[in-house]
Amino acid sequence: GESVGLHLPTLSVQEGDNSIINCAYSNSASDYFIWYKQESGKGPQFIIDIRSNMDKRQGQRVTVLLNKTVKHLSLQIAATQPGDSAVYFCAENHPYGGATNKLIFGTGTLLAVQP
Amino acid sequence: GAGVSQSPSNKVTEKGKDVELRCDPISGHTALYWYRQSLGQGLEFLIYFQGNSAPDKSGLPSDRFSAERTGGSVSTLTIQRTQQEDSAVYLCASSLAGLTYEQYFGPGTRLTVT
């Protein structure tokens, strides 16, 4: 079946290091991908997105890379800070005939930043 | 401006009771989504409203679950005859469908069925 999954359920990094969170997707028809950050007790918060016609997009301290050949998505966080500690979800959009924009979420990766 | 709001923030109910969860989307957002998130899990899509179109109910887990959206704004998710497995955080999101896929999430309602 279709799925979005994460390679690493937990990632522990030292403050100041770069973090890389990976995600695999299985639907080659997906045309849009998003990374969300969810802090404890809060709803997911948008970080960055990328469309399938791109392979890289940069934001503030974050970069998303898309490799459509191997259906792989990654989120890179530069100079990781304690405030980055959260669960990170990748999500893909399944274009159901253009009638529905439905995001399918992965199970999440917990990023723990050590001081 | 105001984000997506949900109420109540926490709800404890007895098995077999009905519950109603409310979502106020961002003003002007035509698309509204409900998700369920179990402890330590990802987000499970439940239902999607877009403007005046028929809602996409493909994610509702059983006929005990229903949702409505009045006046294209506020939405209510109703769970009838609650079961313990319904315990989860219920998240609502809204978006400017057709212009962007980005969904803005509310803080969620934590439902506990005892």
Side-chain angles (χ1 to χ4, degrees):
Chain A
E2 299 165 345
S3 66
V4 177
L6 296 173
H7 293 306
L8 299 173
T10 304
L11 178 63
S12 183
V13 299
Q14 291 294 124
E15 181 178 357
D17 287 352
N18 296 333
S19 302
I20 299 176
I21 301 172
N22 297 302
C23 177
Y25 66 95
S26 58
N27 191 331
S28 58
S30 292
D31 61 357
Y32 180 72
F33 305 86
I34 305 181
W35 281 100
Y36 281 92
K37 171 186 179 182
Q38 186 175 28
E39 295 174 284
S40 181
K42 298 183 179 179
Q45 178 184 7
F46 173 90
I47 301 174
I48 193 168
D49 59 359
I50 188 168
R51 296 190 182 276
S52 59
N53 61 352
M54 304 171 65
D55 54 20
K56 181 179 180 179
R57 191 164 187 221
Q58 288 185 297
Q60 186 177 10
R61 283 201 307 119
V62 294
T63 301
V64 56
L65 299 177
L66 176 62
N67 186 330
K68 294 182 287 294
T69 302
V70 295
K71 297 178 192 161
H72 185 267
L73 191 70
S74 68
L75 176 70
Q76 300 178 1
I77 304 173
T80 312
Q81 302 169 0
D84 295 327
S85 294
V87 176
Y88 289 80
F89 293 96
C90 64
E92 62 178 309
N93 178 71
H94 288 198
Y96 289 94
T100 300
N101 297 331
K102 181 183 295 186
L103 287 179
I104 305 299
F105 286 79
T107 54
T109 291
L110 173 62
L111 176 64
V113 182
Q114 308 301 322
Chain B
V4 177
S5 61
Q6 292 185 245
S7 61
S9 56
N10 282 283
K11 176 71 176 179
V12 180
T13 190
E14 292 181 352
K15 177 182 175 181
K17 300 287 188 182
D18 298 351
V19 295
E20 286 189 351
L21 312 179
R22 177 187 169 105
C23 172
D24 285 85
I26 293 174
S27 178
H29 281 193
T30 58
L32 187 147
Y33 309 77
W34 282 99
Y35 295 88
R36 178 168 69 176
Q37 185 175 31
S38 300
L39 184 63
Q41 299 297 313
L43 279 69
E44 175 189 4
F45 168 80
L46 297 177
I47 189 169
Y48 162 67
F49 295 91
Q50 168 53 41
N52 295 321
S53 302
D56 176 353
K57 304 178 181 179
S58 60
L60 295 178
S62 77
D63 58 8
R64 295 186 296 105
F65 288 72
S66 63
E68 63 178 21
R69 188 178 185 191
T70 55
S73 180
V74 173
S75 177
T76 302
L77 176 69
T78 301
I79 309 174
Q80 296 177 309
R81 305 180 302 282
T82 52
Q83 303 295 313
Q84 288 186 332
E85 60 263 29
D86 298 335
S87 295
V89 175
Y90 289 82
L91 290 158
C92 174
S94 69
S95 72
L96 286 166
L99 299 179
T100 174
Y101 294 115
E102 180 181 345
Q103 296 179 20
Y104 296 82
F105 283 83
T109 293
R110 180 174 296 279
L111 175 66
T112 303
V113 182
T114 60

Short mmCIF file of all heavy atoms in Angstrom, two decimals, chain A residues 56-101:
data_model
loop_
_atom_site.label_atom_id
_atom_site.label_comp_id
_atom_site.label_asym_id
_atom_site.label_seq_id
_atom_site.Cartn_x
_atom_site.Cartn_y
_atom_site.Cartn_z
N LYS A 56 15.56 20.71 -4.44
CA LYS A 56 16.13 21.34 -3.26
C LYS A 56 15.41 22.66 -3.00
O LYS A 56 15.09 23.39 -3.94
CB LYS A 56 17.62 21.60 -3.45
CG LYS A 56 18.32 22.25 -2.26
CD LYS A 56 19.80 22.42 -2.57
CE LYS A 56 20.54 23.07 -1.40
NZ LYS A 56 22.00 23.22 -1.70
N ARG A 57 15.20 22.93 -1.73
CA ARG A 57 14.63 24.22 -1.35
C ARG A 57 15.18 24.61 0.01
O ARG A 57 15.26 23.78 0.91
CB ARG A 57 13.10 24.15 -1.29
CG ARG A 57 12.46 25.52 -1.16
CD ARG A 57 10.99 25.50 -1.49
NE ARG A 57 10.49 26.88 -1.50
CZ ARG A 57 9.33 27.25 -1.00
NH1 ARG A 57 8.54 26.35 -0.46
NH2 ARG A 57 8.95 28.50 -1.05
N GLN A 58 15.55 25.88 0.12
CA GLN A 58 16.16 26.34 1.37
C GLN A 58 15.28 27.35 2.06
O GLN A 58 14.64 28.19 1.43
CB GLN A 58 17.53 26.96 1.07
CG GLN A 58 18.58 25.93 0.71
CD GLN A 58 19.96 26.53 0.52
OE1 GLN A 58 20.16 27.36 -0.36
NE2 GLN A 58 20.91 26.12 1.34
N GLY A 59 15.28 27.25 3.39
CA GLY A 59 14.60 28.24 4.21
C GLY A 59 15.60 28.80 5.21
O GLY A 59 16.82 28.71 5.00
N GLN A 60 15.09 29.32 6.28
CA GLN A 60 15.98 29.84 7.31
C GLN A 60 16.49 28.68 8.16
O GLN A 60 15.75 28.05 8.90
CB GLN A 60 15.22 30.83 8.21
CG GLN A 60 16.10 31.52 9.22
CD GLN A 60 15.34 32.54 10.04
OE1 GLN A 60 14.12 32.61 9.98
NE2 GLN A 60 16.03 33.35 10.80
N ARG A 61 17.73 28.36 8.05
CA ARG A 61 18.41 27.25 8.75
C ARG A 61 17.93 25.87 8.34
O ARG A 61 18.39 24.86 8.86
CB ARG A 61 18.29 27.36 10.29
CG ARG A 61 19.19 28.35 10.95
CD ARG A 61 19.38 28.05 12.45
NE ARG A 61 18.14 27.92 13.17
CZ ARG A 61 17.78 26.81 13.80
NH1 ARG A 61 18.53 25.72 13.76
NH2 ARG A 61 16.63 26.77 14.46
N VAL A 62 16.97 25.79 7.46
CA VAL A 62 16.49 24.48 7.02
C VAL A 62 16.59 24.34 5.51
O VAL A 62 16.45 25.31 4.77
CB VAL A 62 15.02 24.24 7.47
CG1 VAL A 62 14.93 24.16 8.98
CG2 VAL A 62 14.10 25.30 6.92
N THR A 63 16.84 23.11 5.11
CA THR A 63 16.90 22.76 3.69
C THR A 63 16.16 21.45 3.49
O THR A 63 16.34 20.51 4.27
CB THR A 63 18.36 22.59 3.22
OG1 THR A 63 19.07 23.81 3.44
CG2 THR A 63 18.40 22.25 1.73
N VAL A 64 15.33 21.39 2.46
CA VAL A 64 14.67 20.15 2.13
C VAL A 64 15.23 19.65 0.80
O VAL A 64 15.38 20.43 -0.15
CB VAL A 64 13.13 20.30 2.08
CG1 VAL A 64 12.69 21.39 1.12
CG2 VAL A 64 12.48 18.98 1.74
N LEU A 65 15.55 18.37 0.76
CA LEU A 65 16.06 17.74 -0.45
C LEU A 65 15.09 16.66 -0.88
O LEU A 65 14.59 15.89 -0.06
CB LEU A 65 17.44 17.13 -0.18
CG LEU A 65 18.55 18.10 0.24
CD1 LEU A 65 19.83 17.33 0.54
CD2 LEU A 65 18.80 19.15 -0.83
N LEU A 66 14.82 16.61 -2.17
CA LEU A 66 13.92 15.62 -2.72
C LEU A 66 14.64 14.81 -3.78
O LEU A 66 15.15 15.37 -4.75
CB LEU A 66 12.68 16.30 -3.32
CG LEU A 66 11.67 15.41 -4.04
CD1 LEU A 66 11.06 14.40 -3.08
CD2 LEU A 66 10.59 16.27 -4.70
N ASN A 67 14.66 13.51 -3.61
CA ASN A 67 15.25 12.61 -4.60
C ASN A 67 14.14 11.71 -5.12
O ASN A 67 13.77 10.72 -4.48
CB ASN A 67 16.37 11.79 -3.97
CG ASN A 67 17.11 10.93 -4.98
OD1 ASN A 67 16.55 10.50 -6.00
ND2 ASN A 67 18.38 10.68 -4.73
N LYS A 68 13.60 12.06 -6.27
CA LYS A 68 12.46 11.33 -6.80
C LYS A 68 12.87 9.96 -7.33
O LYS A 68 12.04 9.06 -7.42
CB LYS A 68 11.79 12.15 -7.91
CG LYS A 68 11.15 13.43 -7.39
CD LYS A 68 10.45 14.20 -8.48
CE LYS A 68 11.43 14.87 -9.42
NZ LYS A 68 12.23 15.94 -8.76
N THR A 69 14.13 9.81 -7.69
CA THR A 69 14.59 8.52 -8.21
C THR A 69 14.44 7.41 -7.19
O THR A 69 14.01 6.30 -7.51
CB THR A 69 16.06 8.62 -8.65
OG1 THR A 69 16.18 9.65 -9.63
CG2 THR A 69 16.54 7.30 -9.21
N VAL A 70 14.78 7.74 -5.94
CA VAL A 70 14.68 6.75 -4.86
C VAL A 70 13.55 7.07 -3.90
O VAL A 70 13.43 6.44 -2.85
CB VAL A 70 16.02 6.62 -4.11
CG1 VAL A 70 17.10 6.08 -5.03
CG2 VAL A 70 16.45 7.96 -3.51
N LYS A 71 12.73 8.05 -4.25
CA LYS A 71 11.57 8.44 -3.43
C LYS A 71 12.01 8.73 -1.99
O LYS A 71 11.51 8.12 -1.03
CB LYS A 71 10.51 7.35 -3.46
CG LYS A 71 9.95 7.12 -4.85
CD LYS A 71 8.93 5.98 -4.84
CE LYS A 71 8.59 5.57 -6.25
NZ LYS A 71 8.00 4.23 -6.31
N HIS A 72 12.89 9.69 -1.88
CA HIS A 72 13.46 10.02 -0.58
C HIS A 72 13.41 11.52 -0.36
O HIS A 72 13.67 12.31 -1.27
CB HIS A 72 14.90 9.52 -0.53
CG HIS A 72 15.55 9.69 0.80
ND1 HIS A 72 16.30 10.81 1.12
CD2 HIS A 72 15.56 8.92 1.91
CE1 HIS A 72 16.75 10.69 2.36
NE2 HIS A 72 16.31 9.56 2.85
N LEU A 73 13.07 11.86 0.86
CA LEU A 73 12.96 13.26 1.26
C LEU A 73 13.78 13.45 2.53
O LEU A 73 13.79 12.58 3.40
CB LEU A 73 11.49 13.57 1.55
CG LEU A 73 11.01 14.98 1.76
CD1 LEU A 73 11.05 15.75 0.45
CD2 LEU A 73 9.57 14.97 2.29
N SER A 74 14.48 14.56 2.62
CA SER A 74 15.23 14.81 3.85
C SER A 74 15.08 16.26 4.28
O SER A 74 14.84 17.15 3.46
CB SER A 74 16.72 14.47 3.69
OG SER A 74 17.34 15.38 2.81
N LEU A 75 15.20 16.45 5.57
CA LEU A 75 15.18 17.78 6.16
C LEU A 75 16.51 18.01 6.86
O LEU A 75 16.89 17.21 7.72
CB LEU A 75 14.03 17.92 7.16
CG LEU A 75 13.96 19.25 7.91
CD1 LEU A 75 13.54 20.38 6.97
CD2 LEU A 75 12.98 19.16 9.09
N GLN A 76 17.19 19.05 6.48
CA GLN A 76 18.46 19.39 7.11
C GLN A 76 18.27 20.65 7.94
O GLN A 76 17.75 21.65 7.44
CB GLN A 76 19.55 19.59 6.05
CG GLN A 76 19.78 18.35 5.20
CD GLN A 76 20.83 18.57 4.13
OE1 GLN A 76 21.41 19.64 4.01
NE2 GLN A 76 21.08 17.54 3.34
N ILE A 77 18.70 20.59 9.18
CA ILE A 77 18.63 21.73 10.08
C ILE A 77 20.06 22.12 10.43
O ILE A 77 20.82 21.30 10.99
CB ILE A 77 17.84 21.42 11.37
CG1 ILE A 77 16.43 20.92 11.02
CG2 ILE A 77 17.75 22.66 12.26
CD1 ILE A 77 15.64 20.43 12.22
N ALA A 78 20.42 23.33 10.11
CA ALA A 78 21.78 23.81 10.39
C ALA A 78 21.87 24.37 11.81
O ALA A 78 20.93 24.98 12.32
CB ALA A 78 22.17 24.88 9.38
N ALA A 79 23.02 24.13 12.43
CA ALA A 79 23.29 24.68 13.76
C ALA A 79 22.11 24.45 14.70
O ALA A 79 21.48 25.39 15.20
CB ALA A 79 23.60 26.17 13.66
N THR A 80 21.82 23.18 14.93
CA THR A 80 20.64 22.79 15.71
C THR A 80 20.65 23.43 17.09
O THR A 80 21.68 23.46 17.78
CB THR A 80 20.58 21.27 15.84
OG1 THR A 80 20.78 20.68 14.55
CG2 THR A 80 19.22 20.84 16.36
N GLN A 81 19.49 23.92 17.49
CA GLN A 81 19.33 24.60 18.76
C GLN A 81 18.37 23.82 19.66
O GLN A 81 17.57 23.04 19.18
CB GLN A 81 18.78 26.01 18.52
CG GLN A 81 19.63 26.86 17.61
CD GLN A 81 18.94 28.13 17.19
OE1 GLN A 81 17.80 28.41 17.56
NE2 GLN A 81 19.62 28.94 16.38
N PRO A 82 18.44 24.04 20.98
CA PRO A 82 17.51 23.34 21.87
C PRO A 82 16.05 23.53 21.49
O PRO A 82 15.23 22.62 21.65
CB PRO A 82 17.82 23.96 23.24
CG PRO A 82 19.25 24.38 23.14
CD PRO A 82 19.43 24.84 21.71
N GLY A 83 15.71 24.69 20.96
CA GLY A 83 14.34 24.95 20.54
C GLY A 83 13.89 24.14 19.34
O GLY A 83 12.71 24.11 19.00
N ASP A 84 14.83 23.45 18.72
CA ASP A 84 14.49 22.58 17.58
C ASP A 84 14.00 21.22 18.05
O ASP A 84 13.50 20.43 17.24
CB ASP A 84 15.71 22.39 16.67
CG ASP A 84 16.15 23.67 16.00
OD1 ASP A 84 15.28 24.52 15.69
OD2 ASP A 84 17.37 23.84 15.78
N SER A 85 14.16 20.93 19.33
CA SER A 85 13.71 19.63 19.86
C SER A 85 12.20 19.51 19.67
O SER A 85 11.42 20.34 20.16
CB SER A 85 14.06 19.51 21.35
OG SER A 85 15.46 19.48 21.54
N ALA A 86 11.80 18.47 18.96
CA ALA A 86 10.38 18.27 18.63
C ALA A 86 10.26 16.99 17.82
O ALA A 86 11.27 16.34 17.52
CB ALA A 86 9.83 19.45 17.82
N VAL A 87 9.04 16.65 17.46
CA VAL A 87 8.80 15.56 16.51
C VAL A 87 8.62 16.19 15.14
O VAL A 87 7.88 17.17 14.99
CB VAL A 87 7.57 14.73 16.89
CG1 VAL A 87 7.30 13.66 15.83
CG2 VAL A 87 7.76 14.08 18.25
N TYR A 88 9.30 15.63 14.17
CA TYR A 88 9.23 16.15 12.81
C TYR A 88 8.51 15.13 11.93
O TYR A 88 8.85 13.94 11.91
CB TYR A 88 10.64 16.42 12.28
CG TYR A 88 11.27 17.62 12.95
CD1 TYR A 88 11.85 17.50 14.21
CD2 TYR A 88 11.25 18.87 12.34
CE1 TYR A 88 12.40 18.61 14.85
CE2 TYR A 88 11.81 19.98 12.97
CZ TYR A 88 12.37 19.83 14.22
OH TYR A 88 12.92 20.93 14.85
N PHE A 89 7.52 15.62 11.20
CA PHE A 89 6.74 14.79 10.29
C PHE A 89 6.98 15.22 8.85
O PHE A 89 6.96 16.42 8.56
CB PHE A 89 5.25 14.92 10.57
CG PHE A 89 4.80 14.39 11.89
CD1 PHE A 89 4.65 15.23 12.98
CD2 PHE A 89 4.50 13.05 12.04
CE1 PHE A 89 4.23 14.74 14.20
CE2 PHE A 89 4.07 12.56 13.26
CZ PHE A 89 3.94 13.41 14.34
N CYS A 90 7.14 14.24 7.99
CA CYS A 90 7.05 14.55 6.57
C CYS A 90 5.64 14.17 6.11
O CYS A 90 4.99 13.32 6.72
CB CYS A 90 8.10 13.80 5.76
SG CYS A 90 7.92 12.01 5.77
N ALA A 91 5.18 14.82 5.09
CA ALA A 91 3.86 14.55 4.55
C ALA A 91 3.91 14.68 3.04
O ALA A 91 4.63 15.53 2.51
CB ALA A 91 2.81 15.49 5.14
N GLU A 92 3.16 13.84 2.35
CA GLU A 92 3.10 13.92 0.89
C GLU A 92 1.66 14.16 0.48
O GLU A 92 0.71 13.77 1.17
CB GLU A 92 3.63 12.64 0.25
CG GLU A 92 2.83 11.39 0.61
CD GLU A 92 3.37 10.15 -0.09
OE1 GLU A 92 3.55 10.19 -1.32
OE2 GLU A 92 3.59 9.15 0.61
N ASN A 93 1.52 14.85 -0.65
CA ASN A 93 0.18 15.13 -1.16
C ASN A 93 -0.16 14.15 -2.27
O ASN A 93 0.61 13.99 -3.22
CB ASN A 93 0.10 16.54 -1.71
CG ASN A 93 -1.28 16.82 -2.29
OD1 ASN A 93 -2.25 16.95 -1.56
ND2 ASN A 93 -1.38 16.90 -3.61
N HIS A 94 -1.30 13.48 -2.13
CA HIS A 94 -1.79 12.57 -3.15
C HIS A 94 -2.82 13.32 -4.00
O HIS A 94 -3.88 13.66 -3.52
CB HIS A 94 -2.48 11.37 -2.53
CG HIS A 94 -1.53 10.42 -1.87
ND1 HIS A 94 -1.87 9.14 -1.57
CD2 HIS A 94 -0.25 10.56 -1.48
CE1 HIS A 94 -0.85 8.53 -1.01
NE2 HIS A 94 0.14 9.37 -0.92
N PRO A 95 -2.52 13.58 -5.25
CA PRO A 95 -3.47 14.31 -6.09
C PRO A 95 -4.55 13.37 -6.63
O PRO A 95 -4.38 12.76 -7.67
CB PRO A 95 -2.59 14.86 -7.21
CG PRO A 95 -1.49 13.85 -7.32
CD PRO A 95 -1.28 13.30 -5.95
N TYR A 96 -5.68 13.29 -5.92
CA TYR A 96 -6.75 12.41 -6.36
C TYR A 96 -7.56 13.10 -7.44
O TYR A 96 -8.59 13.69 -7.18
CB TYR A 96 -7.65 12.05 -5.18
CG TYR A 96 -7.01 11.12 -4.19
CD1 TYR A 96 -6.36 11.64 -3.07
CD2 TYR A 96 -7.03 9.76 -4.36
CE1 TYR A 96 -5.75 10.80 -2.17
CE2 TYR A 96 -6.43 8.91 -3.45
CZ TYR A 96 -5.79 9.43 -2.36
OH TYR A 96 -5.19 8.60 -1.46
N GLY A 97 -7.10 13.03 -8.64
CA GLY A 97 -7.82 13.61 -9.77
C GLY A 97 -8.02 15.11 -9.62
O GLY A 97 -8.93 15.67 -10.20
N GLY A 98 -7.20 15.73 -8.77
CA GLY A 98 -7.31 17.18 -8.61
C GLY A 98 -8.46 17.61 -7.74
O GLY A 98 -8.65 18.79 -7.49
N ALA A 99 -9.26 16.66 -7.24
CA ALA A 99 -10.44 17.04 -6.48
C ALA A 99 -10.15 17.17 -4.99
O ALA A 99 -10.86 17.84 -4.28
CB ALA A 99 -11.55 16.02 -6.69
N THR A 100 -9.15 16.53 -4.54
CA THR A 100 -8.87 16.53 -3.11
C THR A 100 -7.39 16.71 -2.87
O THR A 100 -6.56 16.04 -3.48
CB THR A 100 -9.32 15.20 -2.48
OG1 THR A 100 -10.70 15.04 -2.68
CG2 THR A 100 -9.00 15.17 -1.00
N ASN A 101 -7.05 17.62 -2.00
CA ASN A 101 -5.68 17.75 -1.56
C ASN A 101 -5.57 17.03 -0.24
O ASN A 101 -5.97 17.55 0.79
CB ASN A 101 -5.31 19.23 -1.40
CG ASN A 101 -5.39 19.96 -2.71
OD1 ASN A 101 -5.20 19.39 -3.77
ND2 ASN A 101 -5.69 21.24 -2.66
#
